[in-house]
Amino acid sequence: MASKKRIAVVPGDGIGQEVIPQAVRVIEATGAPVELTHFDWGAERYLRDGVTVPPDAFTILARDFDAIFVGAIGDPRVPSNIHAKEILLGMRFKMDLYANVRPVRLLDASLCPLKNVEPKDVDFVVLRENTEGVYVDVGGCFKQGTPDEVAVQEDVNTRKGVERIIRYAFEYCNHHTKQDGTPRRRVLMADKSNVLTYAHGLWQRVFKEVSAEYPQIQAQHMYVDALCLQMVRDPHSLDVIVTNNMFGDIITDLAAALQGGLGMAASGNIHPGKTSMFEPVHGSAPPIAGKNIANPIGSILTAAMMLGHLGMAKEASKIEEAVLRAVQEKKTTQDVGGKLGTREAAEWIANSVGRN
Ligand code: ATP
């Protein structure tokens, strides 16, 4: 038997503590050959001993683990959110996980807020640049607290960073199909180059160059505002979207709404060939934490994505099929039309996985 894949599990804060153990239970039900190691990084640990992540954590994660499975980090008791920044942005930036991959799939027509939209109409993926842009924390304030105050936040776009995420998008088409098995054939780059002429001028030039290397894939462009309109008006027209860090953050929340809300959305933070990190799109959701009402499906689909990435396609499909059955039979939490609690919804999916 192949050696076990080693997965670091970081449930984190809020509903992360509820949904991640449930997703782990579903992974275990598949019988996937994995070895899980739990880490207690999050607000509780930070408040107890001031540690956000131990100093050598990222080196250990990259060296000793095949993947990282994270819940959510964020807690009102840590208003600065310093621990979230150091844990999540630390993983993304220090481990150079440059491709944030967010599949957007509608599993059942009842979950979509749009009229006359069926599952076949919502099946696209957003690839968000994950290590640059306005997230690099370069900037400052001048004359703070006075009427003459100035605040500057830089948008950093490097040739290397832009090129690798755009190339990732074209390669993604070459290696992935839609749910119905048809190949992915279109890459749409979204920017605001009509206003951000320098930063997004770079995106434009690189997109033109890289797309020329992939003549079999159609290259499209839209300004991000026009894309928002298109996502709502005709999601069927979308295939693979590539965009910068900030726009990716925004449009993937809109995309999550098309698939039934934040509780349904999965994501991976990937650097091909390196230890990558997988997390549900939602945050720690303090208002609903500790009530057994959070939807575990985002985390469960994230677990499937992680297993697929680790070469366990069969186990990943088992999970996806079980989630589809749960949604169709309304064996879900209330946010997506069911009556079950977090644990009970996950238990149903785990049992369903176990039977197949
Ligand atoms: P963050 O700032 O940490 O990224 P966010 O702004 O994305 O967080 P969340 O904390 O994820 O916001 O959630 C916002 C709201 O969405 C929650 O209060 C809750 O109502 C809903 N929500 C998020 N995740 C889930 C879930 N798994 N199940 C049910 N509802 C959810």
Side-chain angles (χ1 to χ4, degrees):
M1 189 172 120
S3 65
K4 289 185 175 180
K5 295 288 181 187
R6 294 154 306 169
I7 299 173
V9 181
V10 185
D13 302 327
I15 62 170
Q17 299 249 357
E18 295 171 78
V19 292
I20 292 300
Q22 298 308 320
V24 163
R25 155 196 220 168
V26 174
I27 293 176
E28 284 166 349
T30 66
V34 294
E35 187 183 304
L36 306 169
T37 307
H38 287 75
F39 293 89
D40 66 352
W41 307 333
E44 208 59 56
R45 168 87 188 264
Y46 175 65
L47 291 168
R48 195 171 64 238
D49 59 17
V51 171
T52 53
V53 261
D56 51 354
F58 299 125
T59 311
I60 292 169
L61 288 173
R63 190 188 59 211
D64 297 343
F65 292 91
D66 297 295
I68 311 163
F69 189 33
V70 176
I73 319 278
D75 187 307
R77 292 173 300 166
V78 187
S80 66
N81 231 13
I82 173 77
H83 71 305
K85 209 167 173 182
E86 292 196 5
I87 298 168
L88 278 181
L89 293 186
M91 281 179 196
R92 290 180 185 173
F93 284 33
K94 294 192 178 147
M95 299 180 77
D96 201 25
L97 305 178
Y98 68 86
N100 187 262
V101 180
R102 297 192 177 185
V104 185
R105 279 186 216 129
L106 176 63
L107 297 183
D108 192 80
S110 65
L111 301 186
C112 187
L114 303 180
K115 275 185 291 193
N116 305 325
V117 168
E118 296 182 28
K120 66 171 174 40
D121 298 321
V122 182
D123 184 1
F124 62 94
V125 58
V126 179
L127 303 173
R128 164 186 174 190
E129 201 294 319
N130 213 22
T131 55
E132 302 192 342
V134 293
Y135 288 73
V136 297
D137 206 16
V138 173
C141 285
F142 180 51
K143 298 188 182 175
Q144 193 169 346
T146 75
D148 297 325
E149 180 165 354
V150 178
V152 175
Q153 192 97 36
E154 296 295 345
D155 180 11
V156 175
N157 296 264
T158 69
R159 166 88 207 191
K160 175 182 154 191
V162 173
E163 184 175 334
R164 65 184 181 176
I165 188 67
I166 288 177
R167 194 173 294 286
Y168 189 93
F170 284 94
E171 287 298 325
Y172 190 92
C173 280
N174 281 341
H175 295 101
H176 294 82
T177 58
K178 293 187 176 189
Q179 279 299 90
D180 64 8
T182 56
R184 295 209 176 268
R185 285 197 200 286
R186 278 170 297 139
V187 174
L188 186 155
M189 195 267 281
D191 65 23
K192 194 70 186 162
S193 50
N194 49 346
V195 178
L196 305 173
T197 48
Y198 306 113
H200 293 182
L202 174 65
W203 280 76
Q204 285 279 337
R205 290 194 303 278
V206 175
F207 188 61
K208 208 167 164 203
E209 277 175 38
V210 175
S211 61
E213 295 173 32
Y214 297 85
Q216 75 286 11
I217 297 167
Q218 195 187 335
Q220 303 173 307
H221 170 260
M222 267 193 185
Y223 296 125
V224 70
D225 41 354
L227 175 61
C228 289
L229 187 78
Q230 184 78 350
M231 285 169 73
V232 174
R233 201 169 55 184
D234 185 16
H236 183 70
S237 64
L238 303 169
D239 194 349
V240 174
I241 296 169
V242 61
T243 193
N244 62 73
N245 210 341
M246 172 63 96
F247 293 170
D249 185 27
I250 296 167
I251 67 169
T252 51
D253 265 32
L254 173 54
L258 297 177
Q259 56 184 146
L262 281 172
M264 296 296 293
S267 83
N269 298 265
I270 294 171
H271 186 131
K274 291 193 181 180
T275 303
S276 294
M277 185 264 274
F278 297 81
E279 55 176 338
V281 170
H282 63 74
S284 58
I288 63 164
K291 298 178 177 165
N292 194 41
I293 58 173
N295 186 350
I297 289 181
S299 295
I300 292 171
L301 289 175
T302 299
M305 196 176 169
M306 176 172 68
L307 294 184
H309 179 83
L310 294 174
M312 294 178 242
K314 199 173 73 201
E315 288 83 354
S317 310
K318 272 190 190 178
I319 295 178
E320 286 169 358
E321 284 159 19
V323 167
L324 182 61
R325 279 193 292 276
V327 168
Q328 288 170 342
E329 295 182 30
K330 295 264 178 279
K331 301 294 183 191
T332 58
T333 47
Q334 284 182 17
D335 56 308
V336 283
K339 292 193 174 74
L340 302 181
T342 307
R343 286 188 295 275
E344 294 71 25
E347 184 177 22
W348 195 95
I349 293 169
N351 288 339
S352 181
V353 162
R355 280 196 298 273
N356 284 277

